Amino acid sequence: GKIGAPYRTGYCAAKHAVMGFYDALRAEVTHRGVRVTTITPGYIRTNISVNALKGDGSAFGDVDEDIAGGMDVTRCAEVIMKGFRKGTPEIAVGEGFEMKALLIKRFFPGLVFKKTAQMVKT
């Protein structure tokens, strides 16, 4: 929920909304001693793209290149659990360029916007 990715508009919209919801919830409940942790995953090797639907409603049925090159799911779980134990409010987990993009976007958002626009197939 931090960077919009081409061809994933609905997915990105949902993730950005979830991040905003939990950021607001964190602010509302922290004074009660309730901790809220959000996970910001990069590409993780799962079957999400296999189960994704194409525009016509049929199954995509394949692992896309980004996910195939993503972080191992067991390693991902280890990073998340370490963050939980430390009480980290937001855990960024992954190992590809998308993780560097989180930092780059903070300081040079135009660069990230340009790079993601170049990913669009014309």
Side-chain angles (χ1 to χ4, degrees):
K2 297 291 186 177
I3 297 174
Y7 310 112
R8 291 180 170 92
T9 52
Y11 179 80
C12 291
K15 295 299 181 184
H16 281 73
V18 167
M19 291 299 290
F21 174 85
Y22 284 108
D23 287 349
L25 180 64
R26 183 183 300 112
E28 293 172 8
V29 300
T30 192
H31 70 282
R32 295 184 179 160
V34 177
R35 294 189 316 193
V36 174
T37 299
T38 54
I39 312 300
T40 306
Y43 294 112
I44 309 299
R45 285 193 307 267
T46 67
N47 284 333
I48 194 165
S49 66
V50 173
N51 297 312
L53 300 179
K54 295 190 278 185
D56 65 3
S58 64
F60 181 70
D62 200 7
V63 176
D64 78 20
E65 187 177 316
D66 292 324
I67 292 172
M71 177 183 261
D72 172 72
V73 71
T74 301
R75 175 72 185 124
C76 173
E78 290 168 352
V79 171
I80 292 169
M81 291 309 300
K82 181 179 178 183
F84 279 149
R85 286 190 289 273
K86 289 173 64 176
T88 305
E90 187 172 296
I91 302 168
V93 59
E95 54 193 13
F97 174 77
E98 72 276 9
M99 302 315 294
K100 294 174 184 72
L102 291 175
L103 182 62
I104 295 168
K105 185 179 179 192
R106 178 172 289 165
F107 298 104
F108 306 102
L111 185 60
V112 173
F113 298 150
K114 182 178 178 181
K115 177 72 174 167
T116 55
Q118 290 172 348
M119 296 167 62
V120 175
K121 298 171 186 156
T122 56

